[in-house]
Amino acid sequence: MVAADKNNNEPVLLVAFYRTDSGNEPVREWLKNLNRDDRKCIGEDIKTAQFGWPVGMPLIRKLEPGLWEVRSRIRLGIARVMFTVEGPTMILLHGFVKKARKSPLKELSTARKRLAELRQE
């Protein structure tokens, strides 16, 4: 698939969930544990990225080469969904609700690990 024509109302990127070897989709599972309004907010922000890629701040922040985050304001605070882009696909690697000013290294480490596993396949 080639990047969509922005006038055609088609997504620039497809969206996929990172899947573990055992078939789990951690971001999908995390989203299911949020309330409906928070899921909707995060989904709309991901859709904005999907249809408007490339998108910059304040919605999307590049963390490092090959790794970005969607930044969503939800009832619990600020949600982050870390993702990578492989060809025409935005792959959602890790999601969490941010509680401190900076994203915890543990969260970044989880996304990096999943990205490395994805690239080994």
Side-chain angles (χ1 to χ4, degrees), residues 3-4 6 11-13 47-56 60-62 67-70 83-85 87 90:
K6 291 188 181 197
V12 176
L13 296 173
K47 185 177 178 183
T48 297
Q50 179 185 14
F51 279 79
W53 187 257
V55 179
I60 304 292
R61 183 172 74 131
K62 186 168 188 168
L67 193 60
W68 292 265
E69 68 179 1
V70 176
F83 68 94
T84 192
V85 176
M90 172 185 198

Side-chain angles (χ1 to χ4, degrees), residues 17-108:
F17 290 94
Y18 165 82
R19 185 173 292 176
T20 65
D21 289 338
S22 60
N24 296 328
E25 295 175 328
V27 176
R28 185 186 304 267
E29 292 164 14
W30 170 74
L31 286 167
K32 286 180 180 178
N33 289 318
L34 297 175
N35 74 42
R36 185 175 185 213
D37 290 339
D38 291 346
R39 283 194 310 267
K40 183 177 179 188
C41 176
I42 293 167
E44 287 173 357
D45 288 344
I46 290 170
K47 185 177 178 183
T48 297
Q50 179 185 14
F51 279 79
W53 187 257
V55 179
M57 290 288 284
L59 181 64
I60 304 292
R61 183 172 74 131
K62 186 168 188 168
L63 300 172
E64 56 191 50
L67 193 60
W68 292 265
E69 68 179 1
V70 176
R71 305 152 48 96
S72 301
R73 290 197 177 276
I74 62 172
R75 180 182 53 83
L76 297 172
I78 301 172
R80 298 286 191 253
V81 177
M82 296 180 178
F83 68 94
T84 192
V85 176
E86 297 282 329
T89 306
M90 172 185 198
I91 303 170
L92 309 180
L93 299 168
H94 183 54
F96 64 99
V97 176
K98 191 173 127 177
K99 303 214 183 330
R101 186 157 175 80
K102 289 181 78 175
S103 291
L105 286 177
K106 180 184 108 182
E107 308 296 355
L108 186 56

